[in-house]
Structures are given as C-alpha cells and as structure tokens.
Amino acid sequence: MGYPSLESHLPSSHAPLLPPGIFLSISDTQASDGNFLLHHFISNYVKADQNVVLVGLAGIMVHYTMVGRKLGVNLATARTKGNFHFVDGLTQLTDYAAPNKEYLPMPNTTPAPAPVSASPSTPRIPTTRTAPPAAAPVLSYSPKLLDFYKFLENLVRDVAKGPVSPGGKKQLCLILDDLSVLLNCGWPCREVLALVRYLKQLVAKHNGTLITLVHADGVMSEEVSQDGLVKGVFYEADYIIDVRGLDSGGSRDVHGQLSMLHGPGYLLKQRAGQVKENEWPALTLHYKILDNNVEVFAKGYSSGVL
C-alpha cells in the first residue's frame, strides 16, 4: 500500500484509506512538489478496490500511469474495471482565458419619471438612471467552471451508484491535482473557492473523500488571489498536509518536511466528539523520495544521521 512509512502517521480508523466524508488539503511549493502524496492515496484506494476520480489539471494520464507502475498499481486495468476515472481538466475547461465579458451581469437601465416642469410649455426630457446590478449566483461569472462542476457532479453520482463490492459499498475519493492552475488560467479566486465548496458538499453527500493540491509558496503569498485561495482552501479543510523544503537548505538524505495540521473541520468534529483523540496527530516529519518509494521519518532520524 502506497508508502508504508507514511501510513502510521495518517488516521488509523479506516487505514489504509482516509475516513469518509473528510476534506484533505495538500499544499506545496515550487521547490518541493507535493504530488507524490497524491500517488500514495491513489495507490491505496485502487489496491483496496475502491473508486477514484482523478481530475488532472497539472498532470496527465501517462504520468500517473507510469508512477503507478512503480508503486505496483495498474491504473489502465483499474480504469477498465471502472474503479479509476481520469478527467483531463484543461480539456473540459476549453476557455483558458478569464471569463468572457458577455456573461457578466449588465446594468439595468430603467426610465426614470421626468421632473415636474414649472412651465407647461417646457418639454419633458426623458432621463434614464442606472440601477445597481443584482447579486449574481456563485459561479455565474464562469459558465465553463459551472459546466465543469456539473460534469463532475454527474460523474461522481454515476460512480457512487456503481456495483457494490463483496465488502459493501465502495468508498469514493475525488482528487484535484492542482487548484492553482485554475487561477493561472484566469478564473478569479472567488470562483475557484466556490468550486471547492461545491465539490466538498458533493463528495460528503456520497460519503466520500476530497483531496486537493494547491501551491503555497512564500513568494506567491504576495499575490492576493493566490494567498486568498490557499487560506480559503485551508478554511474548508478537515486535514492539512504542508510540504516544504528544509529551512537549512538542500540535503542528500532529507528532501523536505511534511507538516500534518488540523483544519477547522477537524477541530469542530473534535469538539463534537466525532473523532477520536489524536486521530490525526499534529506533527512535523521529514521525507526522502526514492525511485519507487518515499521514506517518512521523525526529524533527526534519517538513515544518513543514524
């Protein structure tokens, strides 16, 4: 299953899967790519004969297939069986530029009553006044993004209605490999966050799990939209894994660190007694990426140090 050394640090109640109905947000930087964590969860769900819907916004099917082979997973076979579904996000979102202006709400112009004339001989000149535009529903500015959500909604519903395995109903996992791509394609932060909320509710409705990846570089935090996206996604998440490089710089035996964090959703469930104590311990780990595995260990316990 995935990376064995990582399993012990993940919630154990549904191991090797994540608990159903939760939202896991993975953040990374350009120097420390967190995509290897997506491969871990894809491998675990496919090997457990569960359903995976992967939305590729940054990666392509060939990439995931090649990495899957190194982890002992044949995604082509899983796709044929109906357990694995790959969606090319940028093919679905054919408009790469910002939303077209023709979809923006136009101001309403209504004739205003003419002022009362002091003299009956003075002609009345009709005037117009501009009414403020009505509040548009969420995602209305981005019809392609709305169509994209509807496509995923239909796909998730069909997958959830699929055949039941001998062990019961299969668990669904929806993965988006890089939300930052949507910002780079021109969609505003508000619309991307709305899409995340919609997908979170959709997956929870089917008792599934949502996993997203987003860039959280310190340099990019100066960009209002990128910083707002990261904070907005974190606010919606139950669990957070932050992937970053070492503060001391590069190392041959340690490639970076993983910070396992609690999201607001986890804290609310903890107060309500819906999760076990230390179900997701908050801690920082180090990792090293190998050819067909990732070693995860406590700080200061790498093989090069011991």
Side-chain angles (χ1 to χ4, degrees):
M1 292 291 181
Y3 313 131
S5 58
L6 178 61
E7 288 295 335
S8 60
H9 303 289
L10 298 176
S12 58
S13 58
H14 292 76
L17 309 179
L18 292 174
I22 68 122
F23 173 21
L24 167 63
S25 174
I26 301 173
S27 63
D28 66 359
T29 64
Q30 293 181 348
S32 300
D33 191 355
N35 196 261
F36 68 91
L37 291 175
L38 299 185
H39 297 297
H40 169 80
F41 293 112
I42 293 172
S43 173
N44 279 2
Y45 276 82
V46 172
K47 286 183 178 180
D49 197 28
Q50 305 300 310
N51 292 320
V52 176
V53 177
L54 172 61
V55 181
L57 296 170
I60 59 177
M61 181 63 188
V62 175
H63 165 73
Y64 288 100
T65 301
M66 294 178 63
V67 177
R69 289 175 182 173
K70 293 184 178 181
L71 298 179
V73 177
N74 192 327
L75 295 184
T77 302
R79 198 174 189 180
T80 304
K81 292 174 56 180
N83 291 347
F84 179 77
H85 303 264
F86 181 81
V87 178
D88 190 338
L90 293 185
T91 298
Q92 294 292 328
L93 297 167
T94 54
D95 292 340
Y96 296 96
N100 199 310
K101 294 182 179 179
E102 64 179 299
Y103 295 104
L104 297 179
M106 299 300 294
N108 298 323
T109 56
T110 57
V116 179
S117 177
S119 171
S121 60
T122 304
R124 294 185 177 182
I125 303 176
T127 60
T128 59
R129 63 184 178 185
T130 301
V138 180
L139 290 180
S140 65
Y141 290 175
S142 303
K144 277 295 176 184
L145 212 55
L146 180 58
D147 292 341
F148 184 51
Y149 167 76
K150 291 180 178 179
F151 172 82
L152 293 178
E153 181 183 30
N154 293 332
L155 177 59
V156 169
R157 184 178 61 248
D158 293 342
V159 172
K161 291 181 180 179
V164 179
S165 63
K169 187 176 181 179
K170 294 184 179 182
Q171 187 174 332
L172 170 72
C173 181
L174 175 61
I175 301 175
L176 283 80
D177 69 359
D178 194 350
L179 292 172
S180 303
V181 172
L182 296 177
L183 283 185
N184 297 335
C185 289
W187 277 279
C189 174
R190 168 175 173 264
E191 303 291 336
V192 179
L193 286 176
L195 176 65
V196 172
R197 295 189 191 102
Y198 281 12
L199 293 176
K200 177 184 176 181
Q201 295 175 5
L202 173 64
V203 173
K205 179 180 177 182
H206 296 284
N207 202 30
T209 301
L210 175 64
I211 302 176
T212 64
L213 177 68
V214 64
H215 289 311
D217 289 82
V219 177
M220 299 177 68
S221 64
E222 299 178 0
E223 300 181 10
V224 176
S225 58
Q226 181 68 31
D227 186 57
L229 176 63
V230 174
K231 292 180 179 179
V233 171
F234 282 0
Y235 182 79
E236 297 291 334
D238 298 297
Y239 304 112
I240 300 170
I241 301 181
D242 183 54
V243 184
R244 296 194 174 271
L246 297 176
D247 296 334
S248 58
S251 171
R252 183 185 63 182
D253 299 308
V254 181
H255 292 160
Q257 63 183 28
L258 304 176
S259 297
M260 323 290 277
L261 307 173
H262 296 154
Y266 175 88
L267 298 177
L268 291 175
K269 292 178 181 179
Q270 188 179 49
R271 292 179 182 178
Q274 299 176 358
V275 295
K276 299 179 182 178
E277 187 176 358
N278 295 326
E279 171 75 6
W280 178 280
L283 72 166
T284 300
L285 304 167
H286 283 169
Y287 70 89
K288 180 181 181 180
I289 300 178
L290 305 177
D291 184 51
N292 58 351
N293 189 21
V294 174
E295 294 181 350
V296 179
F297 42 85
K299 298 174 68 174
Y301 283 81
S302 69
S303 57
V305 174
L306 297 178

